[in-house]
Amino acid sequence: KAGVTQTPRYLIKTRGQQVTLSCSPISGHRSVSWYQQTPGQGLQFLFEYFSETQRNKGNFPGRFSGRQFSNSRSEMNVSTLELGDSALYLCASSEAGTSTDTQYFGPGTRLTVL
Amino acid sequence: GENVEQHPSTLSVQEGDSAVIKCTYSDSASNYFPWYKQELGKRPQLIIDIRSNVGEKKDQRIAVTLNKTAKHFSLHITETQPEDSAVYFCAASKGKYSSASKIIFGSGTRLSIRP
């Protein structure tokens, strides 16, 4: 099976803009989770989607949102970008999204906000 | 709130020696503890995991131990090799089949293997 893919791989935006990132899970996986990775904060959980529904959300402001489509592909959107949003955004998919499922990570999208 | 603390943040060991990374979790309901390895410029990959009904698990040179009473778990790498150099993340999650997945990660340990 093909692995988790994310597009684009790199993005440069300016403050105040918005951005949409895309994640295609492994075929058959219904759960997609998003994480923000920064050198200082490690891996921070953003949210998790399962069958087009957001099931869990981390402690991020409302500027961060997401959605999942019927084919399990997921997008996350960040509006009104701030300098501190510069990070590597990783998505991970798992079969059923249970707490003991193995999560398979995508290569990430590196977002730079100028 | 839920928290996972990981130590040390950096670790340098001589090739062939052992490396130990320790994590402590705050939520006593946590029941699943995966470890991920992230090589430079690559995605995190699961290397070993343990469930709360098991005290220890081994996979070749890698082992994980869990102490539920103390709420801490550790990763042990024996006979370290240059390819073990990476950032290692511990994580903890809870819930069962009908629960949403919410994994809390530790802050990571940068392991360097000295030749």
Side-chain angles (χ1 to χ4, degrees):
Chain A
K1 288 183 179 178
V4 179
T5 58
Q6 291 186 245
T7 57
R9 294 293 311 278
Y10 302 91
L11 264 179
I12 299 176
K13 293 285 188 179
T14 56
R15 280 183 300 173
Q17 288 187 309
Q18 75 165 14
V19 66
T20 298
L21 313 180
S22 180
C23 173
S24 292
I26 291 172
S27 177
H29 285 193
R30 293 186 294 165
S31 169
V32 174
S33 297
W34 287 89
Y35 297 87
Q36 181 193 67
Q37 186 174 29
T38 58
Q41 297 295 319
L43 277 162
Q44 301 287 315
F45 173 77
L46 280 155
F47 28 64
E48 185 243 353
Y49 286 88
F50 181 81
S51 293
E52 301 180 66
T53 301
Q54 185 183 89
R55 291 201 300 189
N56 217 330
K57 193 177 190 303
N59 297 322
F60 278 82
R63 301 185 296 107
F64 292 81
S65 63
R67 59 178 176 168
Q68 186 180 35
F69 302 94
S70 59
N71 61 357
S72 293
R73 189 178 69 86
S74 178
E75 289 182 346
M76 69 163 278
N77 183 276
V78 188
S79 62
T80 320
L81 284 166
E82 301 177 359
L83 294 179
D85 296 333
S86 293
L88 180 67
Y89 290 87
L90 291 160
C91 76
S93 75
S94 62
E95 287 188 30
T98 70
S99 63
T100 54
D101 269 357
T102 297
Q103 295 215 330
Y104 295 88
F105 283 87
T109 294
R110 184 163 297 281
L111 172 65
T112 301
V113 182
L114 303 176
Chain B
E2 299 153 339
N3 187 43
V4 175
E5 292 189 1
Q6 183 172 347
H7 300 281
S9 57
T10 60
L11 179 61
S12 178
V13 301
Q14 192 75 34
E15 183 178 349
D17 288 350
S18 296
V20 180
I21 302 171
K22 298 181 180 182
C23 290
T24 304
Y25 58 98
S26 60
D27 191 338
S28 57
S30 296
N31 61 358
Y32 176 62
F33 308 91
W35 286 86
Y36 287 83
K37 174 184 179 182
Q38 187 175 28
E39 297 177 66
L40 189 62
K42 296 189 176 181
R43 68 192 77 187
Q45 290 194 304
L46 179 75
I47 55 171
I48 194 168
D49 57 13
I50 191 168
R51 286 159 174 75
S52 59
N53 58 347
V54 175
E56 183 177 4
K57 183 177 179 180
K58 287 183 179 179
D59 183 4
Q60 298 181 4
R61 297 186 297 108
I62 293 173
V64 58
T65 58
L66 171 65
N67 183 327
K68 288 191 295 181
T69 303
K71 290 190 288 186
H72 68 69
F73 55 113
S74 301
L75 177 71
H76 304 253
I77 306 175
T78 58
E79 301 174 13
T80 53
Q81 300 170 4
E83 53 265 37
D84 294 330
S85 294
V87 177
Y88 291 81
F89 292 95
C90 64
S93 70
K94 63 180 178 182
K96 208 167 162 63
Y97 295 104
S98 60
S99 298
S101 172
K102 183 178 179 181
I103 297 178
I104 308 298
F105 284 86
S107 54
T109 295
R110 184 172 300 279
L111 175 63
S112 300
I113 308 301
R114 303 190 304 271

